[in-house]
Amino acid sequence: MPFIAGPETVDTPSTDGNCTYPAAPLGGTPYPTKVVAKGVPLLIYDNLSIPAPVAGVKINPLIPAPCQPGQRVIRPTVNTTVFINGRLPAVTGDEAQLVIGGSPRPLTGPFQHPTIVIGSNLIT
């Protein structure tokens, strides 16, 4: 059963040319839903969310070109049918990918708590 990715969910490392980008938590700007889990709004990532960038590390320091910031996007590969507030949340098996080059970075966990309360009134 797929679990929903959250800010602490980590992806896998990737390489682009002379730069390697380490695995990192998604962080950044998740989408706050109207779904409540453990008393707080559930934060999800979808293709419109902006995970935190990852810093590139040069493989060969003698090559002068710098590593570009590794801005990531979410690519839904597993969840293509279940929407929360009109958005496809990233789940176990989905992936992040660097905007410029790089291979897919599957999400590895930890994932959010599986208990979700739907229909709670939120005070905003």
Side-chain angles (χ1 to χ4, degrees):
M1 172 175 216
F3 293 106
I4 297 172
E8 293 82 28
T9 301
V10 176
D11 59 7
T12 55
S14 62
T15 302
D16 179 28
N18 188 43
C19 299
T20 184
Y21 295 87
L26 293 177
T29 309
Y31 175 73
T33 68
K34 293 182 180 181
V35 175
V36 174
K38 287 190 159 184
V40 297
L42 181 67
L43 301 175
I44 63 170
Y45 290 84
D46 67 349
N47 64 329
L48 299 175
S49 302
I50 303 172
V54 288
V57 178
K58 286 180 132 189
I59 297 169
N60 181 348
L62 299 177
I63 297 175
C67 293
Q68 298 298 315
Q71 184 58 54
R72 301 174 288 176
V73 293
I74 300 296
R75 300 278 183 229
T77 57
V78 172
N79 181 24
T80 58
T81 58
V82 178
F83 291 82
I84 295 178
N85 293 130
R87 295 178 144 195
L88 285 169
V91 298
T92 310
D94 282 339
E95 57 197 26
Q97 187 166 4
L98 297 180
V99 173
I100 300 174
S103 57
R105 299 167 57 100
L107 303 177
T108 63
F111 294 96
Q112 296 191 58
H113 195 277
T115 303
I116 299 173
V117 178
I118 298 174
S120 295
N121 291 325
L122 296 177
I123 299 173
T124 56

